[in-house]
Amino acid sequence: MSGTYDDSLGLEVSSDSFWEVGNYKRTVKRIEDGHRLCNDLMNCIHERARIEKVYAQQLTEWAKRWKQLVEKGPQYGTVEKSWHAFMLEAEKVSELHLDIKGALMNEDFEKIKNWQKEAFHKQMIGGFKETKEAEDGFRKAQKPWAKKLKEVEASKKAYHAACKEEKLAVSREANSKADPTLNPEQLKKLQDKVDRSKQDVLKTKEKYERSLKELDNATPQYMENMEQVFENCQQFEDKRLRFFREVLLEVQEHLDLSTTGSYKNIYRELEQNIKGADAVEDLRWFRANHGPGMSMNWPQFEEWSADLNRTLSRREKKKAADGVTLTGINQMGYQQNKNSVSSSERNQSYPTEWSDEETNNPFSSSDVQEETNPFEEEEASPTAMEVRVRALYDYEGQEHDELSFKTGEELTKIEDEDEQGWCKGRLDSGQVGLYPANYVEPIQ
């Protein structure tokens, strides 16, 4: 089986076994990968926090828009009144999702960031202290055994070469006996060559067996030393795995609103509001206030009177000046808004089917005055000096305001790290945007 070559020890790695020279590097790489996994988990939580914030914004905007539209629409009783409960539900749920966003960034994100900083210590020459310690430990444990292995490989090569040479010498001697042109002196030289090659085979074989025995004797100590270094790496990885499990459980707890008492109360109140609507009472109210149940001053015969004529004239003039106004307070406590009804409002039609397309939605956001989002965080305006930095890892921007760069690429930091671990920078191309602070290092 063909193998890989370890330049540091001058030996060929012939198998995938941990015990082969140089194969410990996979264990060392796992330590370095642990640091990168911390970055990935932080980016994952940061993206989820953004989603929670955007969802909270959308709920708030939806509640505002529809609250205005419902208030402007016809009001006929308790069923329409219960519609407002949905807007109240959206506002309360929006607050809960903003709380989730805050918990993800202020607790979970920061916890990972601080653990990563305590667990991994960067070196001036690059890499991490923990990685170098593991690398040095494995090299020290493997070096004596690898040296003996190299001797075994060399003696094995010499032995096989001697065997090959002996076979060649024997073959030449056998052929010379059938060659009448060779004199006795030449035949003696060939015989001496066979004898020397046989002696070389014995010597190289003895050396090969001796070096192999020495290697076998050194193997138990080699295995013990390698095992000890490996267990140290296992303990470090065990801490990371347990920490990740702990953090993920906390993230799950923050995301799970089903265990939040206030969340359950929101929908309990919503259900009570909807069930509290009484269609029969609404119909009775409308009949009494806008239907046949209303009182009527039926026309009766009246004698002509000068005073009566003046009273009617004033009443008709007042009616013409005031316009049509809908008012009414009944015995159930319902009150209509004293709004003058315009022709456009009277002819307003409400669709029976919902459509996500803005062109088909009669209640698009353009019908309601736009307001700034109360949940939008104000960005700080730091006045840090510009600093040249170099990318430690590849980063692909997830949002339109984020930068993308490759490992080793240089850029300029123009604002210091914020509380969420992001910096503002400028690429050499001139593009300005955000990037994770722990993905770069200052250029010395």
Side-chain angles (χ1 to χ4, degrees):
M1 178 175 101
S2 61
T4 58
Y5 193 80
D6 190 336
D7 294 329
S8 61
L9 298 169
L11 293 170
E12 185 178 358
V13 180
S14 59
S15 77
D16 198 41
S17 171
F18 166 78
W19 301 107
E20 284 286 352
V21 175
N23 281 352
Y24 64 82
K25 292 183 178 180
R26 293 173 298 194
T27 306
V28 176
K29 185 177 181 299
R30 184 177 60 167
I31 298 176
E32 186 175 341
D33 288 343
H35 183 275
R36 186 167 298 179
L37 286 170
C38 287
N39 289 333
D40 291 341
L41 184 54
M42 284 191 288
N43 287 332
C44 176
I45 291 176
H46 184 259
E47 284 185 22
R48 179 56 185 264
R50 284 188 176 184
I51 292 172
E52 296 292 336
K53 179 182 175 182
V54 171
Y55 181 54
Q57 275 181 318
Q58 292 174 341
L59 281 177
T60 302
E61 292 169 359
W62 175 84
K64 277 187 180 180
R65 182 167 69 251
W66 279 96
K67 188 175 182 181
Q68 294 178 17
L69 292 170
V70 170
E71 288 176 351
K72 288 181 179 180
Q75 299 291 321
Y76 295 126
T78 58
V79 174
E80 280 73 30
K81 186 179 179 182
S82 66
W83 197 351
H84 286 268
F86 281 102
M87 290 63 179
L88 184 61
E89 172 266 345
E91 291 172 352
K92 292 181 178 179
V93 173
S94 174
E95 292 176 2
L96 289 177
H97 281 279
L98 281 179
D99 291 342
I100 291 176
K101 177 253 181 186
L104 290 174
M105 293 305 302
N106 299 331
E107 297 179 32
D108 303 328
F109 185 93
E110 287 299 320
K111 186 172 184 178
I112 301 169
K113 182 180 177 182
N114 292 333
W115 186 89
Q116 183 191 45
K117 189 175 181 180
E118 293 174 1
F120 298 91
H121 302 85
K122 290 185 178 180
Q123 300 184 116
M124 295 296 293
I125 58 174
F128 302 100
K129 175 185 175 184
E130 291 70 25
T131 305
K132 187 176 187 306
E133 288 177 350
E135 177 79 27
D136 292 345
F138 279 121
R139 277 184 174 277
K140 184 178 179 180
Q142 200 169 68
K143 188 174 181 180
W145 190 83
K147 183 178 179 181
K148 293 187 179 297
L149 177 63
K150 193 173 182 180
E151 292 174 359
V152 168
E153 294 293 335
S155 59
K156 173 184 173 182
K157 186 177 181 180
Y159 170 65
H160 289 174
C163 290
K164 183 179 179 181
E165 189 64 29
E166 180 200 17
K167 184 178 180 181
L168 221 89
V170 171
S171 176
R172 286 173 181 170
E173 184 195 19
N175 293 334
S176 65
K177 291 179 180 179
D179 187 358
T181 60
L182 295 177
N183 55 44
E185 185 179 351
Q186 289 174 324
L187 292 174
K188 187 175 183 306
K189 285 183 178 180
L190 290 174
Q191 181 62 44
D192 292 342
K193 179 69 173 176
V194 170
D195 294 340
R196 285 197 303 272
S197 63
K198 288 183 181 294
Q199 291 176 3
D200 288 342
V201 167
L202 293 175
K203 289 179 181 179
T204 54
K205 182 179 180 181
E206 182 182 352
K207 186 177 180 181
Y208 178 28
E209 290 175 341
R210 185 171 62 251
S211 60
L212 191 58
K213 185 177 181 180
E214 290 176 358
L215 181 67
D216 291 340
N217 293 335
T219 297
Q221 185 64 47
Y222 162 66
M223 294 179 69
E224 181 181 343
N225 295 340
M226 290 289 285
E227 187 82 34
Q228 184 177 355
V229 180
F230 181 79
E231 281 305 314
N232 292 337
C233 296
Q234 286 286 82
Q235 291 175 13
F236 183 84
E237 181 67 7
D238 179 65
K239 292 179 182 178
R240 185 190 70 81
L241 293 174
R242 291 180 183 275
F243 172 74
F244 268 39
R245 183 178 182 274
E246 176 186 337
V247 169
L248 291 173
L249 284 174
E250 291 178 3
V251 172
Q252 176 267 331
E253 184 178 346
H254 290 146
L255 294 176
D256 187 5
L257 289 176
S258 65
T259 59
T260 306
S262 57
Y263 184 76
K264 295 178 180 179
N265 291 336
I266 291 173
Y267 290 97
R268 191 178 295 115
E269 293 173 5
L270 178 62
E271 182 182 9
Q272 290 173 354
N273 281 324
I274 296 172
K275 288 183 176 180
D278 189 339
V280 174
E281 183 60 30
D282 289 354
L283 294 174
R284 189 203 62 76
W285 172 83
F286 190 83
R287 179 183 182 85
N289 290 273
H290 301 289
M294 295 179 69
S295 60
M296 174 65 180
N297 188 14
W298 298 102
Q300 296 180 3
F301 180 81
E302 298 179 10
E303 290 290 350
W304 180 86
S305 168
D307 292 336
L308 180 60
N309 188 48
R310 286 194 295 273
T311 302
L312 289 172
S313 298
R314 286 196 300 270
R315 188 165 57 208
E316 290 170 357
K317 289 178 181 178
K318 185 175 185 301
K319 183 177 180 182
D322 291 345
V324 179
T325 304
L326 295 180
T327 62
I329 303 176
N330 68 354
Q331 62 273 25
M332 295 303 295
Y334 300 113
Q335 180 174 355
Q336 289 295 98
N337 293 330
K338 293 183 178 181
N339 297 327
S340 180
V341 181
S342 66
S343 61
S344 62
E345 289 174 333
R346 285 197 302 269
N347 296 330
Q348 176 69 53
S349 62
Y350 296 88
T352 59
E353 295 183 357
W354 172 260
S355 171
D356 286 333
E357 296 294 330
E358 286 296 322
T359 55
N360 297 330
N361 185 359
F363 304 125
S364 63
S365 57
S366 62
D367 295 336
V368 182
Q369 183 178 359
E370 294 183 359
E371 296 180 6
T372 57
N373 184 358
F375 298 105
E376 188 66 31
E377 295 176 340
E378 294 183 0
E379 295 293 334
S381 54
T383 57
M385 297 293 290
E386 293 189 356
V387 178
R388 293 290 288 175
V389 296
R390 180 182 294 110
L392 294 170
Y393 316 103
D394 293 350
Y395 183 72
E396 187 70 24
Q398 304 297 316
E399 301 287 342
H400 69 279
D401 60 343
E402 294 182 8
L403 297 177
S404 298
F405 46 74
K406 299 293 184 182
T407 303
E409 186 176 348
E410 296 182 3
L411 58 150
T412 302
K413 181 180 76 172
I414 59 178
E415 287 187 11
D416 288 332
E417 179 180 353
D418 61 18
E419 70 279 1
Q420 297 179 354
W422 290 80
C423 290
K424 180 178 282 188
R426 181 178 63 248
L427 299 178
D428 292 343
S429 63
Q431 181 185 356
V432 176
L434 301 176
Y435 64 89
N438 54 10
Y439 269 53
V440 302
E441 66 177 359
I443 299 177
Q444 300 298 326

